[in-house]
Amino acid sequence: MGLVGLNGAQMLHQLLLDQGVEVMFGFPGGTVLPIFDALYETPIHFVLSRHEQGAIHMADGYARSTGRVGVVLATSGPGATNLVTGLATANMDSVPLVAITGQVRSSLMGNDAFQEADTRGITRPVTKHNSLVADVADLGRVIREAFYIARTGRPGPVLVDITVDAAAAVVGAPPDLEMDLPGYDPAIRINPAEISAAADAINAARRPVLMAGGGVIQARASKALGRLIVKADIPVTTTLMGLGSIDEQDRLALGMLGMHGTATANYAVQECDCLISIGARFDDRVTGRLETFAPHAKIVHVDIDPTSIGKNVSVDVGVLGDAKDVVNRLLPKIRKTTRRAWPKKIRDWRARHPLTYKRSGSIKPQEVIARLGELTDHDAIVATGVGQHQMWAAQYYRWRRPRQIVTSGGLGTMGFGVPAAIGAAIGNPRRTVIDIDGDGSFAMTMVEVLTAVRYDVPVKFIVLNNGYLGMVRQWQELFFDRRYSSVTTASPSFAGVAEAFGARGITVDSRRHLDGALRDALAHKGPVVVDVHVEAEENVYPMVAAGKGLHEMQLGKLA
Amino acid sequence: MKHVISALVQNQPGVLSHISGMFSARGFNIDSLVVGRTEDPSLSRMTIAVLGDDRVLEQAVKQLAKLVCVVDVTDYKDVPCVNRDLMMVRVAAPESTRGRVLELVNLFRGRAVDISHDSIIVELAGPESKIEAFIEMTRPYGIIELARTGILSMPRGLHRPKTHESSAAAKSKAKRARRSPAKRRIKKTARRR
């Protein structure tokens, strides 16, 4: 690979190709002009978004749904600051991204030049790592380091800020491409003592529960996990990020746990005598009140990130390592078991407290999602925004496999759904991709429907339109005495907007037309927005109020 | 409770803000932070005194180790160490009290490094308790200006903790050593130990 004689921008493209990059998302500007010029003649498919936030969520959706590194390119100043929400979103959910930003000429840096921002300073707390390239000689090394850091260990977003002069400079001598990362070593040698201790705890348990988090999906540990739970007969609950790590139709699947988890999962966690957490970090939305969380359980915590172990919950056995490696090491040490009393108890909970909602004449958001699940054989890729619709999607779609749900779990970024679904669809051209969205979230980023139209990305945008910022309204109803403060949305006709954007638009305002509309949308070849007018004041249940224990969940007004 | 953490970090622009930013974002309370070069020009040593219980210390150490720019972290909890803090203090010392101030300086084994008609600058190094005691004793004479480095710490020879240097760190160190003759010296000193 002859890099000498290329300019920095051309070399960057060569480096990206070497990393296997096929798609990039982004938006141009002054300081990235050399990079866009080089883009003119590379085979990388560039997706031009309408806003940098859209571009980075697309890269994120692409990464989550394919397991590959998402790449986003933006200019200096506002281009870079518009990436911040997307970086924080990816950072919280451990999504491998490489963000490349332009920076002003190195001689001007620090002088408040036009479109200058301290991009490294601003993005430091929301990235796994970031670097500045002000000399083209460093570019090769830094780009290789960025991809390596993004995808190894606990994955995350890495930002590389490149000054416009470094991008334009011609490579004189063969550049040093060797990585220099003395402080970064993602290879973990699993401690056999920790494996033995974990195996002992699991073998001794009479009422075990396994909690699978996003780490199971990141580590592609789902199959190994399946063998483990069958062998030891352990029921499995998943966090929001862990949905799909087990087929929810499996008898051992308890569904999601936590604030809006299933009653079965929450009761099981509260009564278990051993909780094996794999690739989850005991987020407050999962644990409820910490003091009463899993009070009878010995806690085994498997995580790739040492800072996660013992951060929120004190653990009895911590196992540092990649989820798949750990599960494979555990397997031979686990006794084959068939349980009776514990599964029976779980069956009873499941029978007594199934996920359900009261049907009525109007369209219930839950039934839209359940129906979408059935119509797509529970096998579509589903992105979401954040709010009630996100929780209903998590509860009712019935997930079957890893990388199916694309949702902002940790940061809770409204507006994530539209662009993330587009990114996922670009990465998975043969799969059905749905964005289950709310009217609040959808409106935040619906401008990216234009991007779906431009590149003919056939995402089905299903907007559960209740005229409210529903989750906020629910909290105001329950905890603020129904004082509905600034929570109505006053949306336009989303179908009309879709048509004006060049997509197909469908409005559904009666139950009779729901099924036909959904079938229609799924059969449509291009992007389509379905504006479903659902029951306005429906609440998400079960619900564990903030500060309460999981066993104190409210089951809601059920039929 | 105060803990001392020693971190070997890559000597690059932005590293200090990276580390101090992480500490403030996670609510760790820094009592003092000292940065300086080491025998290896590519590395700096940060000595950080943190306030908090064992759990805070554990998180702080882990979070530090997680940063890509941090090569090695050692916490000196339960390790006998030599701790030093360097202070320069300008004390009011008109002729009437100068003798008594200088007597204190001598008792504390400090040095008067500058003198004018009405004040002297005293340089004093030692463990924190000694520094504090000197400040207490000279306060009645009038402290005009004071500057301190914060704690530097090094474990005593018989008690050196094993550093958990990653193999990547070792590899990279070897690589750097191969490259420049100046850095080869480190390996030698390491061997001498």
Side-chain angles (χ1 to χ4, degrees), chain A residues 9 47 61 104 120 194-195 207 257 285 287 302 355 375 377 387 395 426 456 458 462 476 503 514 529-530 556-557:
Chain A
V47 177
V104 299
R120 280 194 76 202
E194 292 175 353
I195 294 286
R207 301 186 309 279
L257 84 162
R285 285 294 191 267
T287 61
V302 179
L355 274 175
L375 290 171
D377 197 22
Q395 291 175 337
I426 288 170
D456 197 22
I462 312 292
Q476 289 178 344
L514 176 64
V529 176
V530 186
K557 296 162 280 183

Side-chain angles (χ1 to χ4, degrees), chain B residues 125-144:
Chain B
E128 274 197 304
S129 53
K130 174 175 157 179
I131 307 276
E132 303 287 346
F134 182 80
I135 293 170
E136 221 31 65
M137 295 300 287
T138 43
R139 200 185 294 280
Y141 299 100
I143 291 174
I144 298 163

